PDB file of all heavy atoms in Angstrom:
ATOM      1  N   THR P 123       6.540-207.029  22.278  1.00 95.00           N
ATOM      2  CA  THR P 123       6.443-206.077  21.131  1.00 95.00           C
ATOM      3  C   THR P 123       6.044-204.616  21.645  1.00 95.00           C
ATOM      4  O   THR P 123       5.781-203.765  20.881  1.00 95.00           O
ATOM      5  CB  THR P 123       5.542-206.570  20.157  1.00 95.00           C
ATOM      6  OG1 THR P 123       4.190-206.843  20.774  1.00 95.00           O
ATOM      7  CG2 THR P 123       6.127-207.804  19.369  1.00 95.00           C
ATOM      8  N   LEU P 124       5.776-204.503  22.992  1.00 95.00           N
ATOM      9  CA  LEU P 124       5.453-203.032  23.383  1.00 95.00           C
ATOM     10  C   LEU P 124       6.547-202.276  23.642  1.00 95.00           C
ATOM     11  O   LEU P 124       6.885-201.815  24.795  1.00 95.00           O
ATOM     12  CB  LEU P 124       4.499-203.210  24.720  1.00 95.00           C
ATOM     13  CG  LEU P 124       2.971-203.374  24.352  1.00 95.00           C
ATOM     14  CD1 LEU P 124       2.298-203.401  25.582  1.00 95.00           C
ATOM     15  CD2 LEU P 124       2.422-202.240  23.547  1.00 95.00           C
ATOM     16  N   ASP P 125       7.500-202.221  22.742  1.00 97.00           N
ATOM     17  CA  ASP P 125       8.846-201.535  22.887  1.00 97.00           C
ATOM     18  C   ASP P 125       9.140-200.322  21.886  1.00 97.00           C
ATOM     19  O   ASP P 125      10.266-200.256  21.649  1.00 97.00           O
ATOM     20  CB  ASP P 125       9.867-202.712  22.901  1.00 97.00           C
ATOM     21  CG  ASP P 125      10.085-203.333  21.585  1.00 97.00           C
ATOM     22  OD1 ASP P 125       9.069-203.132  20.693  1.00 97.00           O
ATOM     23  OD2 ASP P 125      11.081-204.041  21.290  1.00 97.00           O
ATOM     24  N   ASN P 126       8.220-199.798  21.386  1.00 98.00           N
ATOM     25  CA  ASN P 126       8.321-198.770  20.444  1.00 98.00           C
ATOM     26  C   ASN P 126       8.768-197.372  20.998  1.00 98.00           C
ATOM     27  O   ASN P 126       7.982-196.690  21.320  1.00 98.00           O
ATOM     28  CB  ASN P 126       7.085-198.592  19.514  1.00 98.00           C
ATOM     29  CG  ASN P 126       7.283-197.454  18.422  1.00 98.00           C
ATOM     30  OD1 ASN P 126       8.422-197.262  17.976  1.00 98.00           O
ATOM     31  ND2 ASN P 126       6.327-196.879  17.994  1.00 98.00           N
ATOM     32  N   VAL P 127       9.990-197.376  21.293  1.00 98.00           N
ATOM     33  CA  VAL P 127      10.569-196.280  22.045  1.00 98.00           C
ATOM     34  C   VAL P 127      10.619-195.024  21.217  1.00 98.00           C
ATOM     35  O   VAL P 127      11.813-194.502  20.956  1.00 98.00           O
ATOM     36  CB  VAL P 127      11.879-196.660  22.828  1.00 98.00           C
ATOM     37  CG1 VAL P 127      11.705-197.591  23.822  1.00 98.00           C
ATOM     38  CG2 VAL P 127      12.806-197.352  21.801  1.00 98.00           C
ATOM     39  N   ASN P 128       9.592-194.393  21.039  1.00 98.00           N
ATOM     40  CA  ASN P 128       9.545-193.255  20.045  1.00 98.00           C
ATOM     41  C   ASN P 128       9.409-191.822  20.611  1.00 98.00           C
ATOM     42  O   ASN P 128       9.070-190.988  19.740  1.00 98.00           O
ATOM     43  CB  ASN P 128       8.460-193.589  18.955  1.00 98.00           C
ATOM     44  CG  ASN P 128       7.119-193.431  19.479  1.00 98.00           C
ATOM     45  OD1 ASN P 128       6.986-193.270  20.734  1.00 98.00           O
ATOM     46  ND2 ASN P 128       6.179-193.605  18.634  1.00 98.00           N
ATOM     47  N   ILE P 129       9.458-191.605  21.931  1.00 98.00           N
ATOM     48  CA  ILE P 129       9.104-190.419  22.359  1.00 98.00           C
ATOM     49  C   ILE P 129      10.337-189.472  22.627  1.00 98.00           C
ATOM     50  O   ILE P 129      10.314-188.211  22.377  1.00 98.00           O
ATOM     51  CB  ILE P 129       8.239-190.409  23.621  1.00 98.00           C
ATOM     52  CG1 ILE P 129       7.091-191.363  23.365  1.00 98.00           C
ATOM     53  CG2 ILE P 129       7.801-189.097  24.133  1.00 98.00           C
ATOM     54  CD1 ILE P 129       6.135-191.549  24.533  1.00 98.00           C
ATOM     55  N   ASN P 130      11.329-189.918  23.309  1.00 98.00           N
ATOM     56  CA  ASN P 130      12.396-189.121  23.746  1.00 98.00           C
ATOM     57  C   ASN P 130      13.789-189.864  23.801  1.00 98.00           C
ATOM     58  O   ASN P 130      13.773-191.005  23.640  1.00 98.00           O
ATOM     59  CB  ASN P 130      12.132-188.629  25.228  1.00 98.00           C
ATOM     60  CG  ASN P 130      12.869-187.287  25.509  1.00 98.00           C
ATOM     61  OD1 ASN P 130      13.663-186.837  24.830  1.00 98.00           O
ATOM     62  ND2 ASN P 130      12.558-186.777  26.770  1.00 98.00           N
ATOM     63  N   LEU P 131      14.882-189.029  23.832  1.00 98.00           N
ATOM     64  CA  LEU P 131      16.167-189.504  23.959  1.00 98.00           C
ATOM     65  C   LEU P 131      16.826-188.858  25.172  1.00 98.00           C
ATOM     66  O   LEU P 131      16.654-187.578  25.151  1.00 98.00           O
ATOM     67  CB  LEU P 131      16.987-189.341  22.698  1.00 98.00           C
ATOM     68  CG  LEU P 131      16.702-190.207  21.565  1.00 98.00           C
ATOM     69  CD1 LEU P 131      17.253-189.458  20.285  1.00 98.00           C
ATOM     70  CD2 LEU P 131      17.054-191.606  21.742  1.00 98.00           C
ATOM     71  N   VAL P 132      17.371-189.554  26.066  1.00 97.00           N
ATOM     72  CA  VAL P 132      17.819-188.787  27.265  1.00 97.00           C
ATOM     73  C   VAL P 132      19.249-189.398  27.643  1.00 97.00           C
ATOM     74  O   VAL P 132      19.456-190.584  27.701  1.00 97.00           O
ATOM     75  CB  VAL P 132      16.955-188.897  28.455  1.00 97.00           C
ATOM     76  CG1 VAL P 132      17.484-188.196  29.687  1.00 97.00           C
ATOM     77  CG2 VAL P 132      15.641-188.391  28.151  1.00 97.00           C
ATOM     78  N   PRO P 133      20.307-188.497  27.929  1.00 97.00           N
ATOM     79  CA  PRO P 133      21.648-189.004  28.303  1.00 97.00           C
ATOM     80  C   PRO P 133      21.514-189.579  29.782  1.00 97.00           C
ATOM     81  O   PRO P 133      20.760-189.043  30.562  1.00 97.00           O
ATOM     82  CB  PRO P 133      22.528-187.844  28.181  1.00 97.00           C
ATOM     83  CG  PRO P 133      21.571-186.681  28.527  1.00 97.00           C
ATOM     84  CD  PRO P 133      20.247-187.062  27.946  1.00 97.00           C
ATOM     85  N   TYR P 134      22.317-190.444  30.030  1.00 95.00           N
ATOM     86  CA  TYR P 134      22.602-191.097  31.409  1.00 95.00           C
ATOM     87  C   TYR P 134      24.123-191.060  31.683  1.00 95.00           C
ATOM     88  O   TYR P 134      24.779-191.651  30.805  1.00 95.00           O
ATOM     89  CB  TYR P 134      22.059-192.432  31.487  1.00 95.00           C
ATOM     90  CG  TYR P 134      22.205-193.240  32.716  1.00 95.00           C
ATOM     91  CD1 TYR P 134      21.771-192.721  33.978  1.00 95.00           C
ATOM     92  CD2 TYR P 134      23.131-194.323  32.763  1.00 95.00           C
ATOM     93  CE1 TYR P 134      21.955-193.376  35.100  1.00 95.00           C
ATOM     94  CE2 TYR P 134      23.328-195.037  34.082  1.00 95.00           C
ATOM     95  CZ  TYR P 134      22.714-194.469  35.133  1.00 95.00           C
ATOM     96  OH  TYR P 134      23.003-195.160  36.399  1.00 95.00           O
ATOM     97  N   GLY P 135      24.518-190.204  32.645  1.00 95.00           N
ATOM     98  CA  GLY P 135      25.851-189.935  32.738  1.00 95.00           C
ATOM     99  C   GLY P 135      26.349-189.043  31.534  1.00 95.00           C
ATOM    100  O   GLY P 135      25.474-188.273  30.994  1.00 95.00           O
ATOM    101  N   THR P 136      27.570-189.200  31.044  1.00 95.00           N
ATOM    102  CA  THR P 136      27.882-188.373  29.856  1.00 95.00           C
ATOM    103  C   THR P 136      28.265-189.236  28.658  1.00 95.00           C
ATOM    104  O   THR P 136      28.759-188.788  27.638  1.00 95.00           O
ATOM    105  CB  THR P 136      29.055-187.447  30.175  1.00 95.00           C
ATOM    106  OG1 THR P 136      30.132-188.272  30.675  1.00 95.00           O
ATOM    107  CG2 THR P 136      28.684-186.367  31.160  1.00 95.00           C
ATOM    108  N   GLU P 137      28.062-190.514  28.971  1.00 94.00           N
ATOM    109  CA  GLU P 137      28.523-191.493  27.814  1.00 94.00           C
ATOM    110  C   GLU P 137      27.452-192.357  27.210  1.00 94.00           C
ATOM    111  O   GLU P 137      27.565-193.028  26.271  1.00 94.00           O
ATOM    112  CB  GLU P 137      29.425-192.474  28.502  1.00 94.00           C
ATOM    113  CG  GLU P 137      30.646-191.877  29.025  1.00 94.00           C
ATOM    114  CD  GLU P 137      31.535-192.763  29.944  1.00 94.00           C
ATOM    115  OE1 GLU P 137      31.180-193.892  30.122  1.00 94.00           O
ATOM    116  OE2 GLU P 137      32.573-192.322  30.297  1.00 94.00           O
TER     117      GLU P 137
END
Side-chain angles (χ1 to χ4, degrees):
T123 52
L124 275 180
D125 65 344
N126 181 27
V127 285
N128 68 352
I129 307 180
N130 203 355
L131 290 165
V132 178
Y134 175 65
T136 56
E137 300 170 357

